[in-house]
Amino acid sequence: MGTKRSTASTIYDVAARAGVSHATVSRYLGGFEGIRPGTRERVARALAELNYRPNLSARTLATNKSHRIAVLTGDLTSAGPSLTVQGIARSARAAGYVVDIVSFDVTDPDSLADAIGLMRSQDLAGVIALTISDAMRDAISTVHIEVPMHLDSGPADLPGPVGTSFNAAGIHLIVDHLAALGHRDIAHVTGSMDYFAAQSRAAAFAEAIRNHELPEHPAIVGDWTSRSGYEALQRSLIHESVTAIVAGNDQAALGILRALNEAGISCPGDVSVTGFDDIPEAEYYSPPLTTVRIDFESQGTFLFAMLMSEIEGTPAPDGSQFMQPKLIVRSSTAAPGGGRCRSRLRSIH
């Protein structure tokens, strides 16, 4: 004996349940405001009870409007970009849009050209391009796509005055925290300097050091990875007087912690270490990592709202409501250990 196959509810089912015409349901789904409150409430209840999901193909035919957007990204492995894409997808789904994630290799110009060609072949309502680097921004800025495209590198993160972006604000929180503990010599291990985020964080670090009138040390260029943090200390690039290290992100901080441990240098007894991003693992580092928490999914929400404003010609959302950084203090930071790290740092080879 076969089982009865369930079918998706239609607007006719919703109309019957709500006691209205199917045209009223269509107007409700289309955002029409002139529906009486009582009728609107019955339609909303029927939609929920029937777990109605719109047929996007039929909706596109009926409205002559695509409900599909593309997200173009060259990085789906780092915490920030991947969580931002999740936020875009969640917001798009809630608004009845489908998201195509189009990735490419940032080191291969042909890969970007192929990705753009793929987007052009689709029936899209708009595109969000996560322009995380100079090369990507420059390449995409020369491309003409027939639908609205929002280019983003993070709110206010393009090169220029620092102190306004979420990256800059987060770094200032970290340096303020370390200075309040009494640290005077603080080093910075950056992320990949072709990324806007790394540029913004490095510039903000230099500004914060100057604001506190602390000694300036050359930035140590990394690449966001744990290996780059580990090798920064292995190559003895950290000045021997340093009592605190600000890593460009949490992954680099992990490598720094390992190098310190192997050299017999206590964290935070001898050297305090901070990260950035507050990835889920940061709480379980040894010691648990002081870092800055960024709600990257909120950035995705903001970016989708920005694209919708461009598609629909409505005012842009207020970016100040998104991406406010928060300092998360854990046990990888403490007052400086009286210079006990000085001789031990010389031992790292």
Side-chain angles (χ1 to χ4, degrees):
M1 182 177 179
T3 58
K4 184 177 180 180
R5 183 176 63 88
S6 61
T7 59
S9 299
T10 68
I11 62 170
Y12 297 97
D13 299 322
V14 174
R17 176 68 66 93
V20 300
S21 69
H22 72 273
T24 297
V25 177
S26 294
R27 287 195 293 271
Y28 177 92
L29 293 171
F32 180 64
E33 297 293 335
I35 300 175
R36 288 179 293 181
T39 303
R40 179 179 293 277
E41 183 179 343
R42 294 203 307 276
V43 173
R45 187 184 310 118
L47 289 167
E49 291 173 352
L50 295 174
N51 194 29
Y52 174 80
R53 293 292 181 269
N55 183 318
L56 291 182
S57 296
R59 186 176 171 190
T60 298
L61 288 173
T63 62
N64 195 30
K65 177 182 177 183
S66 172
H67 287 82
R68 181 181 296 272
I69 68 169
V71 176
L72 180 65
T73 178
D75 185 356
L76 281 173
T77 59
S78 299
S82 63
L83 291 172
T84 299
V85 170
Q86 287 184 33
I88 294 170
R90 184 189 65 236
S91 298
R93 183 170 60 250
Y97 281 77
V98 171
V99 176
D100 292 329
I101 300 172
V102 183
S103 61
F104 67 96
D105 181 353
V106 294
T107 65
D108 180 5
D110 292 337
S111 176
L112 176 57
D114 291 343
I116 292 172
L118 176 62
M119 289 193 306
R120 281 177 164 163
S121 69
Q122 306 301 310
D123 181 20
L124 298 174
V127 176
I128 297 173
L130 303 181
T131 52
I132 56 178
S133 69
D134 295 288
M136 182 175 174
R137 182 195 60 190
D138 293 344
I140 293 178
S141 64
T142 63
V143 172
H144 174 69
I145 294 180
E146 291 73 17
V147 296
M149 180 167 67
H150 181 71
L151 275 65
D152 185 84
S153 64
D157 266 354
L158 292 176
V162 297
T164 55
S165 74
F166 66 86
N167 280 311
I171 289 293
H172 279 273
L173 288 174
I174 288 174
V175 175
D176 290 349
H177 166 67
L178 293 172
L181 289 173
H183 290 278
R184 300 289 302 167
D185 282 276
I186 306 171
H188 180 44
V189 178
T190 76
S192 297
M193 289 303 289
D194 58 343
Y195 278 50
F196 294 133
Q199 296 169 19
S200 177
R201 293 176 193 182
F205 177 81
E207 181 185 67
I209 291 297
R210 290 192 297 270
N211 288 348
H212 286 281
E213 299 182 344
L214 301 179
E216 296 186 36
H217 299 286
I220 302 147
V221 177
D223 62 8
W224 302 121
T225 65
S226 298
R227 177 181 293 276
S228 71
Y230 180 78
E231 291 181 346
L233 271 73
Q234 288 290 304
R235 296 195 304 270
S236 301
L237 294 177
I238 304 296
H239 193 274
E240 62 184 25
S241 65
V242 163
T243 61
I245 303 172
V246 174
N249 67 343
D250 293 343
Q251 286 93 337
L254 177 60
I256 291 168
L257 290 173
R258 176 181 169 182
L260 291 173
N261 181 67
E262 289 181 356
I265 299 172
S266 169
C267 176
D270 297 326
V271 178
S272 290
V273 176
T274 66
F276 203 104
D277 293 341
D278 195 30
I279 62 175
E281 295 82 5
E283 185 177 0
Y284 301 97
Y285 283 9
S286 182
L289 186 65
T290 293
T291 185
V292 166
R293 178 175 297 164
I294 297 292
D295 186 356
F296 288 104
E297 289 199 39
S298 288
Q299 185 190 15
T301 298
F302 172 72
L303 295 181
F304 180 74
M306 284 293 294
L307 181 63
M308 288 298 100
S309 72
E310 295 177 27
I311 290 173
E312 299 172 359
T314 55
D318 180 4
S320 66
Q321 301 303 311
F322 298 89
M323 306 297 291
Q324 296 301 315
K326 180 180 180 182
L327 179 68
I328 306 299
V329 178
R330 299 191 179 103
S331 53
S332 69
T333 53
R340 288 179 293 159
C341 61
R342 183 176 301 241
S343 61
R344 296 186 185 182
L345 278 170
R346 290 197 186 105
S347 69
I348 298 180
H349 298 291

